[in-house]
């Protein structure tokens, strides 16, 4: 299992670099990310969350055909229609908030062999892809909250962590 980095760690705020080498080490990293995500009961995990500042993430919504790795992803189209849904993040464990995002997206990415593919997504999959893609740009879901709500959530998160430590 890989360590999951949490709020406050610098790597979560970096703009991740492109993946340029599609080798066995990459396949091993992706495998370990799938395992780590499953162990943590998550539905998405981006490389910066395991301390690797590279443009890739894995998702598994637990629906057929929705377990995938996205390498060097780019969201090339978003719907005008938006929807609000509760989000959480393995890097801010235990905190959840309703976030507004486009309902449908088209994403272009590469697979483990470097082969390009395009996927259209809606529903939960579209939500997870956008959340994970944000991680590659150093953006967390709390950055998409209004300032006051974000301050409250972060304060609650920090209070909880303090209690845990003592
Ligand atoms: Ni996250």
């Amino acid at each position: 299992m890989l360590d999951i980095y949490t709020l406050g760690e610098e790597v979560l705020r970096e703009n991740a670099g492109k993946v340029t080498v599609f080798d066995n080490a990459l396949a091993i990293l992706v495998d370990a990310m799938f395992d780590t995500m499953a162990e943590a009961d998550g539905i998405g995990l981006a490389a910066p969350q395991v301390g690797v500042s590279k443009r890739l993430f894995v998702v598994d919504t637990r629906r057929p055909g929705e377990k995938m790795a996205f390498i060097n992803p780019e969201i090339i189209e978003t719907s005008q229609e938006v929807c609000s849904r509760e989000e959480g993040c393995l890097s801010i464990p235990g905190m959840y908030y309703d976030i507004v995002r486009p309902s449908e997206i088209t994403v272009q990415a590469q697979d483990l062999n470097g082969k390009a593919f395009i996927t259209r997504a809606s529903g939960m999959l579209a939500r997870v892809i956008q959340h994970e893609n944000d991680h590659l740009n150093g953006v967390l879901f709390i950055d998409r909250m209004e300032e006051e709500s974000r301050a409250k959530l972060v304060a609650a998160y920090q209070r909880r962590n303090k209690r845990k430590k003592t």
Side-chain angles (χ1 to χ4, degrees), residues 112-129:
L112 275 175
N113 301 311
K115 192 171 177 283
F117 66 93
I118 289 182
T119 300
R120 282 200 66 175
S122 59
M124 183 63 100
L125 183 60
R127 169 81 35 183
V128 181
I129 289 171

Side-chain angles (χ1 to χ4, degrees), residues 34 37-38 41-45 57-70 85 105 119-132:
F34 272 119
M37 175 175 69
D41 205 23
I43 57 175
L45 184 67
F57 60 76
V58 297
V59 305
D60 183 2
T61 66
R62 315 267 153 69
R63 286 171 143 203
E66 294 190 0
K67 183 177 178 182
M68 314 165 75
F70 293 80
R85 189 167 190 151
I105 56 157
T119 300
R120 282 200 66 175
S122 59
M124 183 63 100
L125 183 60
R127 169 81 35 183
V128 181
I129 289 171
Q130 291 175 84
H131 175 115
E132 300 312 326

Side-chain angles (χ1 to χ4, degrees), residues 44 49 88-91 131-132 135 140-141:
Q49 293 183 274
C89 181
L90 293 177
S91 294
H131 175 115
E132 300 312 326
H135 275 298
L140 302 172
F141 80 90

